[in-house]
């Protein structure tokens, strides 16, 4: 079945550092890929998505590129802020059927001033 | 558009009791999903509705769990004879048919004593 593997956390960085959170997936067909973020005390929010190979999703300075050849969707940001502290989830959904989300285990990110 | 709402936000119950959660999706969204999230893990799919029809159920959804979506609007998730292992955050999400983005509610945190 489909699965998502994220780099283990927690990750602690200083403000303005470069961020990479690795995500790889296993899926049949052509899934859509997502990054969701969960800020402290809040619900899951969609951060960005990509629906086909080589698509780049971007939002709030975060980017991720759908790499079919390496089955990866790594999240990057050039300069993180304290306000980026949250839990980040990589997820995929099937192209058809229920299109339910399959999530990775999440990566807790803490940014220190 | 007030987003996806869930009620209650927190529920504490004793083992063996029945509990029911409610989810109100975004009004024009015909697809509705339930997920369960345990501490330190990503959400896991439980079940999916398209309008009032329950089209897919996870193997995680034991016989003690039942979900409904009468009239294709709000949905309820009932857990009978709760067990300590049912303690988790129960998340509801909804989306439009033609746009592959799920919007999540704040969740109901269940604690079984």
């Amino acid at each position: 079945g489909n699965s998502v593997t994220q780099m283990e956390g927690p990750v602690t960085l200083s403000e303005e550092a470069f961020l990479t959170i690795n995500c790889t997936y296993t899926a049949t067909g052509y899934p859509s890929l997502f990054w969701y973020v969960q800020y402290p005390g809040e619900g899951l929010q969609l951060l960005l998505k990509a629906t086909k190979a080589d698509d780049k999703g971007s939002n709030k300075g975060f980017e991720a590129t759908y790499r079919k050849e390496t089955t990866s969707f790594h999240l990057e940001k050039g300069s993180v802020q304290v306000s980026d502290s949250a839990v980040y989830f990589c997820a995929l959904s099937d192209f058809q059927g229920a299109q339910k989300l399959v999530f990775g285990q999440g990566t807790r990110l803490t940014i220190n001033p | 558009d007030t987003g996806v709402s869930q009620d209650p936000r927190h529920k504490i119950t004793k083992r063996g009791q029945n509990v029911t959660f409610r989810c109100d999706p975004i009004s024009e969204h015909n697809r509705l999903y339930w997920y369960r999230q345990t501490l330190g893990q990503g959400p896991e799919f439980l079940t999916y509705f398209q309008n009032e029809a329950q089209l897919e159920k996870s193997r995680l959804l034991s016989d003690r769990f039942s979900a409904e979506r009468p009239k294709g609007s709000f949905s309820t998730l009932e857990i009978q004879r709760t067990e300590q292992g049912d303690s988790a955050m129960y998340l509801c999400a909804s989306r439009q048919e033609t746009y592959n983005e799920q919007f999540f509610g704040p969740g109901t945190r269940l604690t079984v004593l």
Side-chain angles (χ1 to χ4, degrees), chain A residues 32 34 36 38 43-44 46 49 89 93 97-101 103-105, chain B residues 31 33 35 37 40-43 45 48 56 91 95 99-102 104:
Chain A
S32 294
F34 306 84
Y36 278 83
Q38 192 168 36
L44 279 167
L46 179 66
K49 69 176 185 179
F89 293 93
S93 74
Q99 295 182 306
K100 59 185 178 287
L101 290 167
F103 286 87
Q105 73 271 33
Chain B
R31 294 196 183 200
Y33 302 80
Y35 295 85
Q37 185 179 18
Q41 300 297 316
F45 169 77
Y48 154 66
E56 188 169 333
L91 300 170
R95 57 163 277 198
Y99 189 58
N100 191 5
E101 176 181 341
Q102 293 185 25
F104 281 82

Side-chain angles (χ1 to χ4, degrees), chain A residues 3-6 23-24 88-92 102-107, chain B residues 37 40-43:
Chain A
S3 66
V4 174
T5 302
Q6 287 181 235
C23 171
T24 57
Y88 291 81
F89 293 93
C90 185
L92 66 79
V102 175
F103 286 87
Q105 73 271 33
T107 302
Chain B
Q37 185 179 18
Q41 300 297 316

